[in-house]
Amino acid sequence: MAEDKIIVSYNGKSSECPVIIGTENEPGMDISNLRDDTGLVTLDFGYKNTGATKSAITFLDGEEGILRYRGYDIAELAEQSKFTEVAYLLLYGELPTKAQLEDFNDKLKAHSDVPAEVSAILKAMPKGTHPMAQLAAVTVALSGVYAKDAAKASEETIINILAKFPVLTAMVMRNTQGLDFIPNDKSLDYVSNFLHMAFGKTASTAVVDAMDKLLILHADHEQNCSTSAVRLVGSSNANIYASVTGGISALWGPLHGGANQAVLEQLEAIEKDGGDTSKFVAMAKDKASGFRLMGFGHRVYKNFDPRAKILKKSCDDVLADLGLTDKKLTIAMELEKAALHDDYFVSRKLYPNVDFYSGIIYNAIGFPTEMFTPLFALGRLPGWVAQWKEMKENKEPIGRPRQIYTGATLRPYSAIENR
Ligand code: CMC
């Protein structure tokens, strides 16, 4: 039988660390008393092996390439569900009935208007401001208008941010392009309305379906960088708008959500350079070059990213539906093939991730490259909010890691003239 506790001994003191087993039999070691008992803290750069919480939202097995929201396989959800249905599932733990989903969608529509003073902020931002900075600015600005109960996981607060986010994201896109905002159309569903506001025209069923699928695939990914940021900011009792803004900032980086923009820029650069993928694979292998193949590798997936598998197929479907051919897709396929047969990538278990294909689809739909990461944010929002809600409901303490101090020891201050 497996042990139910681990004894850690150090310097004549010992601590009994309980073994916690998750519902998918993942064992963890609870070290919360370790420091009090033995004086030891744990050190784990990048939290590579540290569980920061217990969560019932998303299960991920990186070795097996499994991703499930509330127990439902991501492939089944992407194939059969709709984004707001998945958002409901993440937030409330169960798939909604027809009546529950209608009610949820109605509430999202009812709260979708963005106050004029918030949209005015976009117009005042410096020209050329990245859309992620614009999105962060207007999201935190909502706290100026909806301050009451914004730090509580009330239904109204949760609906409010989910309802306004697609409208804000579309406004950010229009503002970036120097175009007028398109009025919110409450006769349309969540995703169709977003596309209508972004492009100023009705999207085809194929495009709405592709967008729905993309948003579903991005909706949650357990304790990743941006979600951890949302939980950490929220743990100080900061309101939901401030917490989500923390997530937007964390997502922006090219090692996280910003990779989708970087992938497309890289594919364009390869195309411009003549399309020789082997040159770029060689560069990625050369550490001195500082170059990485964007869209390859993942902190947790060490076999394949199940989201990338679904998107690869979706990519073909969308391009066929839109009657497009894209040289970038051919380059992407060649890159993938080259990397999957190269010992450098194989030995490090570097496979295409979700961002490798998403950009090609966003590009085919007509989104400007700079908008790819805001689209990731739009998809990830239900996950951020569900994780924030769970943290609140579990009454988790403020997040505050320890450190191993490596700086100078105590030394006397010396007056400036003596230095
Ligand atoms: N190209 C070339 N080498 C790579 C790459 C890459 N894309 N990714 C990792 N490596 C190498 C890295 O140099 C290291 O080699 P060595 O062991 O010889 O020093 C080894 O593989 C392990 O990499 P790491 O950086 O220690 O791994 P990590 O878990 O800290 O980083 C990652 C994961 C996703 C940040 C990294 O793989 C990466 O930078 N990928 C490119 C950016 C990207 O596509 N990010 C999107 C992630 S998916 C969306 C999301 O959920 O955020």
Side-chain angles (χ1 to χ4, degrees), residues 355-372:
D355 289 327
F356 193 62
Y357 288 106
S358 62
I360 296 172
I361 306 179
Y362 292 141
N363 185 59
I365 294 176
F367 286 108
T369 315
E370 273 193 334
M371 276 305 293
F372 294 0

PDB file of all heavy atoms in Angstrom, residues 355-372:
ATOM      1  N   ASP A 355      -0.456  27.123 -29.707  1.00  0.00           N
ATOM      2  CA  ASP A 355      -0.222  28.368 -30.429  1.00  0.00           C
ATOM      3  C   ASP A 355       0.352  28.157 -31.819  1.00  0.00           C
ATOM      4  O   ASP A 355       0.428  29.081 -32.616  1.00  0.00           O
ATOM      5  CB  ASP A 355       0.722  29.270 -29.630  1.00  0.00           C
ATOM      6  CG  ASP A 355       0.028  29.825 -28.402  1.00  0.00           C
ATOM      7  OD1 ASP A 355      -1.183  30.053 -28.490  1.00  0.00           O
ATOM      8  OD2 ASP A 355       0.683  30.001 -27.374  1.00  0.00           O
ATOM      9  N   PHE A 356       0.789  26.939 -32.100  1.00  0.00           N
ATOM     10  CA  PHE A 356       1.422  26.684 -33.389  1.00  0.00           C
ATOM     11  C   PHE A 356       0.411  26.828 -34.528  1.00  0.00           C
ATOM     12  O   PHE A 356       0.735  27.310 -35.604  1.00  0.00           O
ATOM     13  CB  PHE A 356       2.070  25.296 -33.377  1.00  0.00           C
ATOM     14  CG  PHE A 356       2.991  25.077 -34.541  1.00  0.00           C
ATOM     15  CD1 PHE A 356       4.114  25.872 -34.717  1.00  0.00           C
ATOM     16  CD2 PHE A 356       2.740  24.088 -35.476  1.00  0.00           C
ATOM     17  CE1 PHE A 356       4.964  25.693 -35.789  1.00  0.00           C
ATOM     18  CE2 PHE A 356       3.591  23.893 -36.560  1.00  0.00           C
ATOM     19  CZ  PHE A 356       4.705  24.696 -36.724  1.00  0.00           C
ATOM     20  N   TYR A 357      -0.817  26.374 -34.289  1.00  0.00           N
ATOM     21  CA  TYR A 357      -1.822  26.418 -35.363  1.00  0.00           C
ATOM     22  C   TYR A 357      -2.863  27.522 -35.211  1.00  0.00           C
ATOM     23  O   TYR A 357      -3.491  27.920 -36.182  1.00  0.00           O
ATOM     24  CB  TYR A 357      -2.534  25.063 -35.464  1.00  0.00           C
ATOM     25  CG  TYR A 357      -1.631  24.010 -36.057  1.00  0.00           C
ATOM     26  CD1 TYR A 357      -1.064  23.022 -35.270  1.00  0.00           C
ATOM     27  CD2 TYR A 357      -1.316  24.047 -37.411  1.00  0.00           C
ATOM     28  CE1 TYR A 357      -0.201  22.087 -35.818  1.00  0.00           C
ATOM     29  CE2 TYR A 357      -0.460  23.109 -37.967  1.00  0.00           C
ATOM     30  CZ  TYR A 357       0.091  22.134 -37.166  1.00  0.00           C
ATOM     31  OH  TYR A 357       0.942  21.218 -37.717  1.00  0.00           O
ATOM     32  N   SER A 358      -3.064  27.994 -33.977  1.00  0.00           N
ATOM     33  CA  SER A 358      -4.151  28.962 -33.772  1.00  0.00           C
ATOM     34  C   SER A 358      -3.960  30.216 -34.628  1.00  0.00           C
ATOM     35  O   SER A 358      -4.911  30.727 -35.213  1.00  0.00           O
ATOM     36  CB  SER A 358      -4.287  29.325 -32.285  1.00  0.00           C
ATOM     37  OG  SER A 358      -3.103  29.943 -31.831  1.00  0.00           O
ATOM     38  N   GLY A 359      -2.715  30.683 -34.728  1.00  0.00           N
ATOM     39  CA  GLY A 359      -2.437  31.911 -35.474  1.00  0.00           C
ATOM     40  C   GLY A 359      -2.820  31.796 -36.944  1.00  0.00           C
ATOM     41  O   GLY A 359      -3.285  32.761 -37.553  1.00  0.00           O
ATOM     42  N   ILE A 360      -2.610  30.593 -37.507  1.00  0.00           N
ATOM     43  CA  ILE A 360      -2.934  30.419 -38.936  1.00  0.00           C
ATOM     44  C   ILE A 360      -4.449  30.564 -39.128  1.00  0.00           C
ATOM     45  O   ILE A 360      -4.915  31.169 -40.095  1.00  0.00           O
ATOM     46  CB  ILE A 360      -2.426  29.044 -39.432  1.00  0.00           C
ATOM     47  CG1 ILE A 360      -0.895  29.030 -39.330  1.00  0.00           C
ATOM     48  CG2 ILE A 360      -2.874  28.779 -40.863  1.00  0.00           C
ATOM     49  CD1 ILE A 360      -0.268  27.690 -39.594  1.00  0.00           C
ATOM     50  N   ILE A 361      -5.211  30.041 -38.152  1.00  0.00           N
ATOM     51  CA  ILE A 361      -6.681  30.150 -38.267  1.00  0.00           C
ATOM     52  C   ILE A 361      -7.112  31.612 -38.053  1.00  0.00           C
ATOM     53  O   ILE A 361      -7.914  32.140 -38.828  1.00  0.00           O
ATOM     54  CB  ILE A 361      -7.388  29.219 -37.254  1.00  0.00           C
ATOM     55  CG1 ILE A 361      -6.876  27.780 -37.419  1.00  0.00           C
ATOM     56  CG2 ILE A 361      -8.902  29.274 -37.442  1.00  0.00           C
ATOM     57  CD1 ILE A 361      -7.476  26.773 -36.464  1.00  0.00           C
ATOM     58  N   TYR A 362      -6.570  32.255 -37.018  1.00  0.00           N
ATOM     59  CA  TYR A 362      -6.930  33.664 -36.779  1.00  0.00           C
ATOM     60  C   TYR A 362      -6.605  34.503 -38.019  1.00  0.00           C
ATOM     61  O   TYR A 362      -7.357  35.390 -38.412  1.00  0.00           O
ATOM     62  CB  TYR A 362      -6.148  34.231 -35.588  1.00  0.00           C
ATOM     63  CG  TYR A 362      -6.499  33.657 -34.229  1.00  0.00           C
ATOM     64  CD1 TYR A 362      -5.501  33.403 -33.290  1.00  0.00           C
ATOM     65  CD2 TYR A 362      -7.820  33.406 -33.863  1.00  0.00           C
ATOM     66  CE1 TYR A 362      -5.815  32.899 -32.037  1.00  0.00           C
ATOM     67  CE2 TYR A 362      -8.132  32.898 -32.619  1.00  0.00           C
ATOM     68  CZ  TYR A 362      -7.123  32.646 -31.700  1.00  0.00           C
ATOM     69  OH  TYR A 362      -7.417  32.155 -30.461  1.00  0.00           O
ATOM     70  N   ASN A 363      -5.456  34.215 -38.611  1.00  0.00           N
ATOM     71  CA  ASN A 363      -5.019  34.944 -39.796  1.00  0.00           C
ATOM     72  C   ASN A 363      -6.002  34.727 -40.948  1.00  0.00           C
ATOM     73  O   ASN A 363      -6.397  35.679 -41.630  1.00  0.00           O
ATOM     74  CB  ASN A 363      -3.618  34.447 -40.166  1.00  0.00           C
ATOM     75  CG  ASN A 363      -3.005  35.208 -41.316  1.00  0.00           C
ATOM     76  OD1 ASN A 363      -2.845  36.417 -41.244  1.00  0.00           O
ATOM     77  ND2 ASN A 363      -2.678  34.517 -42.387  1.00  0.00           N
ATOM     78  N   ALA A 364      -6.435  33.476 -41.114  1.00  0.00           N
ATOM     79  CA  ALA A 364      -7.374  33.164 -42.207  1.00  0.00           C
ATOM     80  C   ALA A 364      -8.713  33.863 -41.978  1.00  0.00           C
ATOM     81  O   ALA A 364      -9.352  34.324 -42.922  1.00  0.00           O
ATOM     82  CB  ALA A 364      -7.566  31.656 -42.304  1.00  0.00           C
ATOM     83  N   ILE A 365      -9.121  33.971 -40.714  1.00  0.00           N
ATOM     84  CA  ILE A 365     -10.402  34.643 -40.418  1.00  0.00           C
ATOM     85  C   ILE A 365     -10.290  36.144 -40.712  1.00  0.00           C
ATOM     86  O   ILE A 365     -11.274  36.806 -41.002  1.00  0.00           O
ATOM     87  CB  ILE A 365     -10.825  34.381 -38.949  1.00  0.00           C
ATOM     88  CG1 ILE A 365     -11.148  32.892 -38.741  1.00  0.00           C
ATOM     89  CG2 ILE A 365     -12.012  35.236 -38.535  1.00  0.00           C
ATOM     90  CD1 ILE A 365     -11.496  32.503 -37.302  1.00  0.00           C
ATOM     91  N   GLY A 366      -9.074  36.670 -40.631  1.00  0.00           N
ATOM     92  CA  GLY A 366      -8.864  38.082 -40.955  1.00  0.00           C
ATOM     93  C   GLY A 366      -8.410  38.944 -39.784  1.00  0.00           C
ATOM     94  O   GLY A 366      -8.392  40.172 -39.890  1.00  0.00           O
ATOM     95  N   PHE A 367      -8.053  38.303 -38.667  1.00  0.00           N
ATOM     96  CA  PHE A 367      -7.577  39.090 -37.523  1.00  0.00           C
ATOM     97  C   PHE A 367      -6.156  39.573 -37.773  1.00  0.00           C
ATOM     98  O   PHE A 367      -5.317  38.808 -38.265  1.00  0.00           O
ATOM     99  CB  PHE A 367      -7.573  38.242 -36.241  1.00  0.00           C
ATOM    100  CG  PHE A 367      -8.939  37.992 -35.684  1.00  0.00           C
ATOM    101  CD1 PHE A 367      -9.522  36.738 -35.766  1.00  0.00           C
ATOM    102  CD2 PHE A 367      -9.656  39.017 -35.075  1.00  0.00           C
ATOM    103  CE1 PHE A 367     -10.791  36.495 -35.266  1.00  0.00           C
ATOM    104  CE2 PHE A 367     -10.927  38.790 -34.569  1.00  0.00           C
ATOM    105  CZ  PHE A 367     -11.495  37.535 -34.665  1.00  0.00           C
ATOM    106  N   PRO A 368      -5.857  40.822 -37.396  1.00  0.00           N
ATOM    107  CA  PRO A 368      -4.469  41.265 -37.478  1.00  0.00           C
ATOM    108  C   PRO A 368      -3.616  40.501 -36.446  1.00  0.00           C
ATOM    109  O   PRO A 368      -4.121  40.127 -35.378  1.00  0.00           O
ATOM    110  CB  PRO A 368      -4.541  42.759 -37.129  1.00  0.00           C
ATOM    111  CG  PRO A 368      -5.896  43.025 -36.613  1.00  0.00           C
ATOM    112  CD  PRO A 368      -6.774  41.858 -36.910  1.00  0.00           C
ATOM    113  N   THR A 369      -2.355  40.298 -36.772  1.00  0.00           N
ATOM    114  CA  THR A 369      -1.475  39.470 -35.933  1.00  0.00           C
ATOM    115  C   THR A 369      -1.450  39.931 -34.473  1.00  0.00           C
ATOM    116  O   THR A 369      -1.455  39.112 -33.554  1.00  0.00           O
ATOM    117  CB  THR A 369      -0.045  39.484 -36.526  1.00  0.00           C
ATOM    118  OG1 THR A 369      -0.152  39.300 -37.920  1.00  0.00           O
ATOM    119  CG2 THR A 369       0.816  38.401 -35.931  1.00  0.00           C
ATOM    120  N   GLU A 370      -1.424  41.235 -34.271  1.00  0.00           N
ATOM    121  CA  GLU A 370      -1.352  41.778 -32.902  1.00  0.00           C
ATOM    122  C   GLU A 370      -2.573  41.406 -32.054  1.00  0.00           C
ATOM    123  O   GLU A 370      -2.548  41.545 -30.832  1.00  0.00           O
ATOM    124  CB  GLU A 370      -1.285  43.311 -32.969  1.00  0.00           C
ATOM    125  CG  GLU A 370       0.099  43.864 -33.110  1.00  0.00           C
ATOM    126  CD  GLU A 370       0.092  45.363 -32.844  1.00  0.00           C
ATOM    127  OE1 GLU A 370      -0.947  46.024 -33.028  1.00  0.00           O
ATOM    128  OE2 GLU A 370       1.139  45.868 -32.447  1.00  0.00           O
ATOM    129  N   MET A 371      -3.654  40.987 -32.726  1.00  0.00           N
ATOM    130  CA  MET A 371      -4.880  40.646 -31.983  1.00  0.00           C
ATOM    131  C   MET A 371      -4.892  39.202 -31.483  1.00  0.00           C
ATOM    132  O   MET A 371      -5.781  38.799 -30.736  1.00  0.00           O
ATOM    133  CB  MET A 371      -6.114  40.884 -32.871  1.00  0.00           C
ATOM    134  CG  MET A 371      -6.624  42.307 -32.884  1.00  0.00           C
ATOM    135  SD  MET A 371      -6.989  42.957 -31.242  1.00  0.00           S
ATOM    136  CE  MET A 371      -8.396  41.960 -30.751  1.00  0.00           C
ATOM    137  N   PHE A 372      -3.916  38.394 -31.907  1.00  0.00           N
ATOM    138  CA  PHE A 372      -3.975  36.966 -31.558  1.00  0.00           C
ATOM    139  C   PHE A 372      -3.958  36.747 -30.040  1.00  0.00           C
ATOM    140  O   PHE A 372      -4.676  35.900 -29.524  1.00  0.00           O
ATOM    141  CB  PHE A 372      -2.799  36.198 -32.178  1.00  0.00           C
ATOM    142  CG  PHE A 372      -2.805  36.139 -33.690  1.00  0.00           C
ATOM    143  CD1 PHE A 372      -3.809  36.737 -34.439  1.00  0.00           C
ATOM    144  CD2 PHE A 372      -1.789  35.478 -34.369  1.00  0.00           C
ATOM    145  CE1 PHE A 372      -3.807  36.680 -35.821  1.00  0.00           C
ATOM    146  CE2 PHE A 372      -1.781  35.418 -35.754  1.00  0.00           C
ATOM    147  CZ  PHE A 372      -2.784  36.027 -36.481  1.00  0.00           C
TER     148      PHE A 372
END
